[in-house]
Amino acid sequence: MKSLSLYQERDSIIHEIEPINKLLYILTTILIMIIVPSIKCAVLCMIISLMLLLKANVIKKVLPIINFSFIILISIIIIQGLFNINNKTVLFNIGKIKFYKEGMMYSALIVIRVINILCAFALLVLTTKPSDLIEDLVRRGLSPKIGYVLSSVLQIIPQMTSTMGTIMDAQRSRGLETEGKLINRIKAFFPLIGPVVMNSLIATRERAMALEIRAFSSKNKKTFLNETKSTKLDSSLKYIFIAAVILSIIWRAAIWTK
Amino acid sequence: MDKIVVENLKYKYPLTDKLVLNDISFKIEKGQFIGIIGQNGAGKSTLCQAITGLVPLFFKGAYGGRVLVDGIEVAKSNISDISLKVGMVFQNPFTQVTGSKLTVYEEVAFGLENIGLNREEMKNRIDEALNLLGIYRFKDRNPFDLSGGQMQRLAIAGIIAMQPDVIILDEPTSQLDPQGSEEVFKAVWDLKKRGITIIMVEHKMEKIAEYSDKVLLMHDGKVIDFDTPEKIFSRDDLMQYGVIEPAYTRICKAFDIKDSGLYPVTLDRACEMVVKYNEHN
Amino acid sequence: MSKKSMWSVKFSTASLVLIPAAVGINYIGKLFAGVLKLPLWLDSIGTMLASMLAGPVIGALSGAINNIIYGLTMDPISFVYAVTSIAIGITIGILAYKGLIKNILSAVLCGIIAAFVAAVVSTPINIAFWGGQTGNIWGDGLFAILVAKKFPLWIASFLDELVVDIPDKAATLIVSYIIFKGLPKSLTNLYDNKNEIEQL
Ligand SMILES: Nc1ncnc2c1ncn2[C@@H]1O[C@H](COP(=O)(O)OP(=O)(O)O)[C@@H](O)[C@H]1O
Ligand SMILES: [Mg+2]
């Protein structure tokens, strides 16, 4: 059974950093981009993220993550290049279709910003086990019950997916049509999803009881089997983030006073 | 010394009219092995849940009478506190895996983390529980990768680690294959030898007869009888309660092989009595 | 019935355990819709069921956790749309609590309401993130036409989201409603936090 995750096992300093600091890194990146909304700043942030991803030896795994947003990014470039309200200056044309500079610049900012945020997130998700992230958050005050819910989702999804194939086969062998006309496919949806939903909801009752019997609702302060390891780097990172935000405010002020 | 006292227990699930437990009273001594039998819907699971406090604290509904564990009234306590005294193992091994832990070892720690045990003690208890259930070698596996029998033993390990004095098992082998069932029964036998008070609901009457000090026969929310396996299985009205006596008892009943009015319930005893019967005739 | 019980944040274990199941159901719905090549996402059946079973707070939590987990394990962008999922969970939870989802027709209407709420919440995100687009061919096609005709950006973006959401949320709620009706009472009343222990 595989737990759901994008985590890549590597031996790097980035992997050692506390999960909370990687979350703060994302926050800092977004904050800086809001404070200084220029392409120059976004590119700078992106270079830093890419260097860190390189250091973590996971840079190749960033592409599939960006891929999720690839089509929408392309369509943004096209639609904005063609139709942006501020479009005036023709940048280039393909046949009769004219692409405008204003729209292209606008879409470039969007694309860089999105890729930037994706890279910052990639740094977290590629170098941190989801279960470690959740446990770290619980140690820092996240409700252990919410922590439980989050980590159990990670295992429940692969489990439900693995029953999916079985159900498909079973229903097909009973003559269920899963191809062809739309109406047939719509009709097929219920016999497919029905059993999974029923089973998983009915299972929740016994699981809830089993959790109760294992002191899930205990008022005692929770302890942890695993020890934490925090590096020297971890304690200084927070100051680096604060410094970065202050620097970006100064940058913004400099733009204004110009 | 009475470990568990049930007095005039009555219970109805929410939004239902039927008394699922109808004026039940009995006592269980420390260290006893109690088998609970009766047909489906008799109220066996509900009774087990009433001893752990799940009924009424988890299910709500309408409740009367008392259940005392070590003199503490469960309906007035809370389930986490009771879980330190009474553990419970359910039918489906799958639903008892918490789902939040990635290894067997961490899975056993779940309850211990919740009660706030320190790390040293936690590790000692986990090692002990895994060894006792014979699954120590799987400690680094994902719980969902175990077989049914192994998973059910993991569920028991998670309960044992909490060190309760009483363990309730509600049809622990009903969803397992024969091999998995044997693994679990062996584990249950080991627990009994350690002096833990055990309550087990089970349809395999041979096992009930072999393990139990006393058997509780339930029907339609009522306790019909609570006595030694010999007395219970020697009754001639078992059919009426949807219970079929162990094979050995059935054979001896057919030939009317009995000793002071009681039929044998285990293989050894049946052989003994058949030999004696042959010598006689 | 007091208002308090709908908004109670004292979670029972039963309701908490409902959340992972809901997220799993969302995922399975989406997968089956994909396998059957249905022109809809159907990826919030679990959230809607959780709302109907255990109220707006658990519904909202299911929605939020759904997107957080997707964000952590598949597409980070889905983090941002947690807000939309929360809004859907709350809306359906309230509608169900008020007893407004009582047959297929009302399920369609309530689905449309949920679609409106989802579109209202998503539009600012779509504008901030994607310049107003949604990534759906039909919606973005409409968006391109409206932008070309010089409609205000927020209207174009809102309609882009809405045309996709209306059929999807209505269909999702129909499916959820049908499943909900088929659940045994002994299960549905487990999540009811109005229940008290009655003395016999
Ligand atoms: N959660 C529930 N809500 C309502 N009725 C229930 C619930 N669980 C069990 N029952 C009913 O209570 C009766 C006893 O059930 P149970 O204790 O499970 O019996 P057994 O374990 O002996 O088969 C049955 O009639 C069953 O339908
Ligand atoms: Mg039962």
Side-chain angles (χ1 to χ4, degrees):
Chain A
M1 178 59 53
K2 260 183 59 187
S3 175
L4 217 53
S5 143
L6 291 170
Y7 176 70
Q8 303 294 320
E9 181 110 42
R10 302 276 193 283
D11 198 12
S12 90
I13 189 166
I14 309 283
H15 284 69
E16 305 273 295
I17 293 172
E18 285 178 6
I20 186 83
N21 276 329
K22 297 178 201 170
L23 268 183
L24 288 176
Y25 177 77
I26 299 172
L27 211 70
T28 311
T29 310
I30 295 175
L31 218 63
I32 291 177
M33 278 192 300
I34 294 171
I35 297 170
V36 190
S38 76
I39 289 195
K40 225 186 269 173
C41 171
V43 169
L44 183 67
C45 288
M46 188 154 80
I47 290 173
I48 295 173
S49 288
L50 288 175
M51 271 163 45
L52 293 172
L53 286 163
L54 204 63
K55 178 95 192 134
N57 201 7
V58 291
I59 193 109
K60 272 192 215 135
K61 298 286 170 186
V62 179
L63 273 182
I65 294 178
I66 295 178
N67 224 352
F68 263 103
S69 307
F70 187 71
I71 296 194
I72 183 167
L73 290 176
I74 295 290
S75 76
I76 288 171
I77 296 173
I78 296 172
I79 291 179
Q80 296 294 344
L82 294 175
F83 306 123
N84 188 297
I85 300 206
N86 304 319
N87 279 352
K88 279 196 204 80
T89 345
V90 177
L91 190 65
F92 63 92
N93 47 347
I94 304 171
K96 274 204 175 138
I97 306 165
K98 293 182 192 117
F99 282 83
Y100 294 86
K101 187 177 166 217
E102 290 77 10
M104 293 301 274
M105 288 304 287
Y106 178 69
S107 60
L109 185 61
I110 290 178
V111 170
I112 290 186
R113 217 192 272 158
V114 168
I115 293 183
N116 215 342
I117 292 177
L118 286 177
C119 287
F121 265 107
L123 198 64
L124 169 75
V125 298
L126 293 175
T127 68
T128 317
K129 278 192 206 141
S131 54
D132 289 349
L133 170 64
I134 295 163
E135 192 164 304
D136 194 28
L137 291 176
V138 172
R139 282 176 209 270
R140 290 168 200 278
L142 177 72
S143 145
K145 295 191 167 186
I146 298 298
Y148 166 78
V149 170
L150 286 168
S151 27
S152 66
V153 173
L154 295 171
Q155 299 217 69
I156 270 187
I157 291 184
Q159 230 187 79
M160 287 173 85
T161 341
S162 72
T163 58
M164 199 180 111
T166 327
I167 292 169
M168 290 280 280
D169 292 343
Q171 299 288 33
R172 274 201 195 116
S173 70
R174 280 187 217 160
L176 185 79
E177 283 183 55
T178 57
E179 270 145 50
K181 279 202 256 120
L182 180 62
I183 185 75
N184 287 344
R185 287 181 278 132
I186 291 176
K187 275 193 208 146
F189 190 72
F190 286 94
L192 288 179
I193 196 151
V196 198
V197 173
M198 278 306 179
N199 289 343
S200 56
L201 288 180
I202 287 171
T204 60
R205 174 173 36 199
E206 203 169 279
R207 177 155 292 138
M209 287 197 271
L211 292 180
E212 284 288 303
I213 293 295
R214 291 171 75 188
F216 186 61
S217 303
S218 170
K219 301 270 189 303
N220 292 4
K221 189 162 164 40
K222 192 179 150 83
T223 47
F224 296 89
L225 173 67
N226 301 320
E227 288 168 70
T228 48
K229 39 182 194 299
S230 78
T231 59
K232 254 197 219 132
L233 187 60
D234 278 309
S235 38
S236 45
L237 273 176
K238 288 176 190 84
Y239 300 105
I240 298 179
F241 294 145
I242 294 169
V245 172
I246 292 173
L247 272 177
S248 68
I249 293 172
I250 296 173
W251 185 350
R252 174 69 178 255
I255 297 174
W256 264 343
T257 51
K258 229 188 262 172
Chain B
M1 194 180 77
D2 291 328
K3 191 76 195 170
I4 295 169
V5 178
V6 178
E7 285 174 0
N8 306 105
L9 181 63
K10 293 194 192 77
Y11 181 68
K12 256 195 296 201
Y13 282 102
L15 310 178
T16 57
D17 304 320
K18 200 180 118 204
L19 274 177
V20 175
L21 300 178
N22 192 352
D23 205 10
I24 288 185
S25 303
F26 62 91
K27 287 177 184 169
I28 296 176
E29 282 166 35
K30 188 174 186 311
Q32 278 188 326
F33 193 115
I34 306 296
I36 301 184
I37 60 174
Q39 67 189 25
N40 277 334
K44 305 179 297 292
S45 298
T46 311
L47 177 60
C48 292
Q49 287 154 14
I51 298 171
T52 62
L54 285 165
V55 162
L57 300 170
F58 177 81
F59 283 99
K60 313 298 184 206
Y63 184 90
R66 301 199 302 172
V67 174
L68 304 168
V69 177
D70 283 338
I72 295 165
E73 195 172 342
V74 297
K76 293 190 175 144
S77 180
N78 64 72
I79 301 171
S80 338
D81 288 348
I82 303 164
S83 71
L84 299 176
K85 294 180 176 300
V86 184
M88 180 157 173
V89 177
F90 301 85
Q91 285 186 15
N92 187 344
F94 234 64
T95 56
Q96 296 172 83
V97 176
T98 63
S100 67
K101 302 291 188 181
L102 295 172
T103 67
V104 164
Y105 199 83
E106 292 174 340
E107 175 69 25
V108 178
F110 183 85
L112 307 180
E113 291 180 327
N114 288 338
I115 59 176
L117 212 63
N118 71 56
R119 196 168 288 137
E120 274 313 296
E121 173 77 11
M122 220 188 289
K123 287 184 172 165
N124 289 340
R125 287 203 197 178
I126 298 170
D127 288 344
E128 196 188 342
L130 288 177
N131 278 320
L132 186 69
L133 274 301
I135 47 175
Y136 189 84
R137 69 205 135 114
F138 306 128
K139 72 183 170 68
D140 296 320
R141 278 219 202 150
N142 186 307
F144 287 111
D145 290 337
L146 300 179
S147 72
Q150 292 161 353
M151 218 186 258
Q152 191 64 301
R153 283 186 284 156
L154 172 58
I156 300 175
I159 295 299
I160 286 295
M162 310 272 286
Q163 298 188 341
D165 312 321
V166 181
I167 292 184
I168 303 177
L169 303 113
D170 187 358
E171 302 190 32
T173 66
S174 65
Q175 308 207 353
L176 303 181
D177 57 19
Q179 190 200 336
S181 302
E182 270 317 308
E183 290 168 12
V184 169
F185 281 128
K186 189 190 159 294
V188 171
W189 188 242
D190 288 342
L191 297 182
K192 179 189 157 80
K193 282 191 296 198
R194 298 188 122 219
I196 296 173
T197 310
I198 294 180
I199 300 172
M200 182 165 80
V201 179
E202 184 53 62
H203 285 298
K204 297 181 183 88
M205 294 302 155
E206 286 74 19
K207 294 293 176 188
I208 288 282
E210 183 185 345
Y211 293 170
S212 302
D213 297 309
K214 283 174 93 178
V215 176
L216 187 89
L217 172 61
M218 283 188 81
H219 187 69
D220 207 12
K222 296 197 188 74
V223 173
I224 303 298
D225 203 349
F226 184 38
D227 217 320
T228 59
E230 287 77 14
K231 289 225 177 96
I232 295 286
F233 290 121
S234 294
R235 288 175 69 109
D236 53 15
D237 56 355
L238 288 176
M239 277 285 267
Q240 185 181 329
Y241 307 118
V243 171
I244 297 174
E245 53 279 81
Y248 328 115
T249 318
R250 215 155 51 236
I251 295 166
C252 293
K253 271 190 182 176
F255 291 97
D256 200 33
I257 302 174
K258 57 185 167 188
D259 184 10
S260 39
L262 295 179
Y263 296 101
V265 296
T266 58
L267 180 58
D268 292 348
R269 185 86 180 103
C271 291
E272 223 172 86
M273 282 168 66
V274 168
V275 170
K276 218 188 263 172
Y277 176 84
N278 282 341
E279 283 167 4
H280 235 76
N281 301 322
Chain C
M1 284 192 285
S2 63
K3 271 236 158 62
K4 218 174 101 207
S5 70
M6 169 161 65
W7 297 111
S8 167
V9 286
K10 270 186 69 188
F11 308 123
S12 71
T13 302
S15 332
L16 278 168
V17 175
L18 182 58
I19 298 172
V23 176
I25 293 168
N26 284 346
Y27 188 73
I28 292 289
K30 185 187 161 114
L31 281 183
F32 276 132
V35 170
L36 295 173
K37 302 196 186 64
L38 301 182
L40 300 162
W41 289 307
L42 299 176
D43 60 355
S44 50
I45 297 172
T47 305
M48 290 194 181
L49 270 174
S51 298
M52 288 193 268
L53 285 165
V57 180
I58 291 293
L61 259 176
S62 301
I65 287 174
N66 180 75
N67 285 52
I68 290 172
I69 294 296
Y70 269 52
L72 276 181
T73 59
M74 281 165 253
D75 176 14
I77 296 291
S78 93
F79 266 111
V80 197
Y81 288 95
V83 196
T84 313
S85 292
I86 291 173
I88 293 172
I90 292 178
T91 310
I92 299 295
I94 296 173
L95 291 170
Y97 185 81
K98 303 261 179 213
L100 293 171
I101 311 174
K102 49 184 188 289
N103 51 39
I104 301 275
L105 183 67
S106 60
V108 172
L109 292 176
C110 290
I112 294 174
I113 296 174
F116 259 92
V117 174
V120 167
V121 176
S122 306
T123 301
I125 303 175
N126 292 337
I127 292 178
F129 239 83
W130 313 108
Q133 288 179 227
T134 58
N136 176 282
I137 315 172
W138 306 106
D140 283 351
L142 178 69
F143 177 83
I145 294 170
L146 293 173
V147 170
K149 297 216 155 123
K150 309 272 180 231
F151 271 82
L153 178 65
W154 63 270
I155 290 189
S157 178
F158 180 72
L159 293 176
D160 178 340
E161 179 81 37
L162 196 63
V163 289
V164 184
D165 269 347
I166 285 183
D168 184 56
K169 297 300 171 283
T172 307
L173 191 53
I174 293 174
V175 173
S176 313
Y177 171 77
I178 292 173
I179 293 173
F180 179 78
K181 279 284 130 190
L183 294 174
K185 256 246 142 47
S186 63
L187 185 67
T188 50
N189 74 46
L190 204 58
Y191 310 106
D192 196 339
N193 57 9
K194 292 188 299 292
N195 284 340
E196 294 289 338
I197 300 171
E198 188 189 318
Q199 206 63 40
L200 271 180

